[in-house]
Amino acid sequence: MDDQKLMDNYLLILKSTVEVYVHGTLESSNQDIRDLLKLGLDKTMEHQARTYDEMTQKGWYVIKNVKASEVKQTLSKIQSGN
């Protein structure tokens, strides 16, 4: 497996981990556990951002710019319920 594929898989794992931390933080009834989960969430999000930045710099994660007209069209569809 090449480096790009490894980084892509790692980024997906980080995103999934963030989801787990978010749900755990929201559902926790104990403040100490909530604080610990929030710390894990923050650290994982920082790591995800660094991984994303590195992938972007290497051209491995390309962001497509969307035209304003496409955004308006999508918003209109959502607002109209279609």
Side-chain angles (χ1 to χ4, degrees):
M1 190 178 291
D2 64 15
D3 289 346
Q4 181 178 357
K5 200 60 129 171
L6 285 170
M7 292 285 283
D8 190 45
N9 287 334
Y10 187 58
L11 188 62
L12 289 173
I13 289 168
L14 288 168
K15 289 178 181 182
S16 296
T17 303
V18 164
E19 289 183 39
V20 171
Y21 275 124
V22 165
H23 291 289
T25 303
L26 291 173
E27 298 296 328
S28 177
S29 60
N30 179 292
Q31 187 62 47
D32 290 336
I33 293 173
R34 188 179 309 115
D35 291 343
L36 184 63
L37 290 170
K38 174 74 167 62
L39 177 64
L41 172 62
D42 292 342
K43 295 290 184 184
T44 304
M45 288 180 64
E46 289 170 13
H47 198 101
Q48 183 275 335
R50 287 193 311 270
T51 303
Y52 165 83
D53 288 342
E54 186 173 337
M55 290 181 72
T56 301
Q57 289 170 3
K58 291 181 182 218
W60 293 348
Y61 198 106
V62 180
I63 298 170
K64 177 186 169 192
N65 290 325
V66 179
K67 296 176 185 174
S69 60
E70 292 176 25
V71 172
K72 288 179 184 177
Q73 183 180 26
T74 301
L75 283 174
S76 293
K77 286 181 181 179
I78 292 170
Q79 292 170 343
S80 70
N82 293 328

